[in-house]
Amino acid sequence: MKFMKKAAALIVAASLAVSLTACGTDVSWASKIGKDTTVPIGMYIYTQAAGFRTYAQGGLLSTSSKLADQTIQVSGSDKKASEYLDKESVKTIKAYTGALIMAKEMEIELSEEELKSADTSAKEQYETDKEVYEKNGVAQSSITEYYKSLTLQNNLFNAIYGKEGTNPISDKELKQYIKDNYATISYIQQYYYTDDGSIMSEDAKAKVKKQYEKIKSQTESGKIKFTDKCKEFEKNATSYKSGSTKYTTLWDVTSEDGKKIMNLKEGQLTFLETESAIVLLQKQKIDYNDAGLKSSRETILIRYKFDEFTKDLIAKAEGDKSVSFNQAAFDKFGSSTRDFSNLSIPSNYY
């Protein structure tokens, strides 16, 4: 499932039921389509949690500070973290609502196997952080709805943009997207840790930098072939030291590193560095017939058309007179009032 990255106790459920109907306003739902289809507010809260986990893993949010006090950098500018998470979560609800409408029009339904898979994924996720979800009013069924939304949107996407879709994307068009957004590099990389996991001293870091500068100089003077050095690093890779002779991936062309790489000519070298690692890389020629690229066609296609697809879904929902969105619920359960600090956050060194 390419669109991606757990029943509360009775007393919790009872107290939640009271809070969801406080002051005569029903805030148990996020959106409705007519009288028969309802998206639960728990999916909205779960989406906030999922976003928090992603940004915390990337080091953009902290689990030790209140979310309401934090900012997050998006597209080069700082935004209030809670407001950004809320805005993105509302988009998710609207996109799913639009997907439900579109799926009905295109006569696309989830299979029994897909429904079972959504239940299984939700159960695993719920059990991982059960206490956090109970505390924040997220039932396992709401997480199931989230996974159903991912699968439904994936199926709709393929039905529209896939090779047999209503608006298929040609290989020529996709090739141009790859040319503008992807780059193939060879690289050597060192995290600023020793093999036993301890942080390097400043002298040790300086020694690594000097070594990499020497490799860059020798490559540029023609004394060594950089890909040979990459093979050596790849062969002797450790937890904190590695290399690759051929690595093709999408780069954020709006970021400093992305611009630096995309502006390189084939054969040119450059450094990338963070507080935790240093990378020396050389830009290579993209092989559009590479088996890895061909096998990743669906993933690349999603990256190419996903934003446009999401906007279409949101417009579909917002333009349908049978749809209602529960702003009172969005306001009541804003992420600034949630506590996701104890979520399980996978480690991410670089």
Side-chain angles (χ1 to χ4, degrees):
M1 189 179 298
K2 307 293 195 306
F3 281 97
M4 318 197 261
K5 170 175 289 344
K6 263 166 159 209
L10 289 178
I11 188 169
V12 174
S15 62
L16 182 59
V18 172
S19 66
L20 293 178
T21 56
C23 302
T25 302
D26 183 3
V27 290
S28 65
W29 57 278
S31 69
K32 287 184 177 180
I33 306 173
K35 297 180 179 180
D36 301 325
T37 304
T38 302
V39 177
I41 194 62
M43 179 178 163
Y44 170 73
I45 303 170
Y46 176 74
T47 304
Q48 295 169 340
F52 179 87
R53 178 187 285 110
T54 297
Y55 291 115
Q57 183 182 3
L60 298 177
L61 289 177
S62 171
T63 57
S64 59
S65 301
K66 288 184 177 180
L67 183 58
D69 298 332
Q70 298 189 59
T71 59
I72 186 170
Q73 191 171 79
V74 182
S75 300
S77 62
D78 287 335
K79 299 182 183 296
K80 191 171 181 179
S82 58
E83 291 179 357
Y84 179 74
L85 287 180
D86 291 349
K87 184 178 179 180
E88 292 302 302
S89 297
V90 169
K91 284 183 181 179
T92 298
I93 295 298
K94 290 186 175 182
Y96 181 35
T97 305
L100 290 169
I101 297 170
M102 191 178 292
K104 186 174 182 179
E105 293 175 349
M106 297 179 69
E107 298 182 343
I108 294 175
E109 296 182 351
L110 297 183
S111 66
E112 288 298 322
E113 184 178 349
E114 288 171 331
L115 291 171
K116 183 177 180 180
S117 177
D119 280 335
T120 300
S121 297
K123 183 178 181 180
E124 291 174 353
Q125 185 60 241
Y126 186 75
E127 291 300 331
T128 299
D129 288 299
K130 185 176 181 179
E131 289 186 6
V132 178
Y133 295 133
E134 286 184 349
K135 180 179 180 180
N136 287 282
V138 180
Q140 183 175 310
S141 58
S142 292
I143 305 178
T144 297
E145 203 71 23
Y146 175 83
Y147 281 103
K148 284 166 59 179
S149 78
L150 297 182
T151 306
L152 184 62
Q153 290 180 61
N154 185 64
N155 293 350
L156 281 168
F157 186 92
N158 289 328
I160 296 171
Y161 297 113
K163 288 190 174 183
E164 304 299 325
T166 57
N167 185 23
I169 303 302
S170 67
D171 290 340
K172 181 180 180 180
E173 185 177 351
L174 203 59
K175 181 179 178 180
Q176 185 61 49
Y177 171 74
I178 294 171
K179 180 180 180 181
D180 294 339
N181 296 274
Y182 281 68
T184 298
I185 63 171
S186 302
Y187 72 86
I188 57 175
Q189 171 180 263
Q190 171 73 60
Y191 291 111
Y192 289 139
Y193 297 88
T194 61
D195 288 342
D196 63 5
S198 58
I199 299 175
M200 282 185 175
S201 66
E202 292 304 313
D203 286 344
K205 291 179 183 179
K207 187 175 181 180
V208 172
K209 291 181 183 179
K210 188 174 181 179
Q211 175 195 8
Y212 278 35
E213 287 167 355
K214 182 178 179 180
I215 293 172
K216 182 175 183 289
S217 177
Q218 289 177 325
T219 300
E220 292 173 337
S221 66
K223 290 184 179 180
I224 65 171
K225 190 175 180 181
F226 185 67
T227 50
D228 289 341
K229 185 61 66 173
C230 294
K231 287 178 183 177
E232 178 187 326
F233 272 63
E234 195 170 20
K235 181 179 179 181
N236 300 305
T238 67
S239 299
Y240 306 109
K241 182 178 179 180
S242 60
S244 176
T245 57
K246 188 178 182 182
Y247 177 69
T248 303
T249 191
L250 174 75
W251 296 93
D252 180 0
V253 296
T254 65
S255 70
E256 184 178 343
D257 288 346
K259 288 178 182 177
K260 182 185 292 187
I261 291 169
M262 297 305 293
N263 288 332
L264 288 175
K265 295 180 180 179
E266 291 174 15
Q268 287 186 321
L269 295 93
T270 193
F271 287 102
L272 300 182
E273 187 175 6
T274 69
E275 293 182 356
S276 60
I278 185 171
V279 180
L280 174 60
L281 62 89
Q282 183 181 51
K283 191 172 184 179
Q284 307 294 351
K285 183 177 181 179
I286 292 181
D287 179 5
Y288 295 102
N289 294 314
D290 180 76
L293 276 180
K294 285 189 171 183
S295 66
S296 301
R297 188 183 194 280
E298 185 180 347
T299 300
I300 296 171
L301 180 57
I302 288 171
R303 287 170 174 167
Y304 176 32
K305 283 292 182 179
F306 182 72
D307 285 348
E308 179 182 326
F309 175 63
T310 301
K311 289 178 182 177
D312 288 344
L313 292 179
I314 292 173
K316 189 78 172 176
E318 291 179 336
D320 194 304
K321 293 182 179 180
S322 70
V323 172
S324 301
F325 295 108
N326 198 343
Q327 189 60 49
F330 296 149
D331 292 341
K332 181 177 177 62
F333 296 105
S335 58
S336 63
T337 65
R338 306 295 95 197
D339 182 3
F340 302 130
S341 60
N342 290 320
L343 278 172
S344 301
I345 309 294
S347 60
N348 189 9
Y349 290 110
Y350 182 68

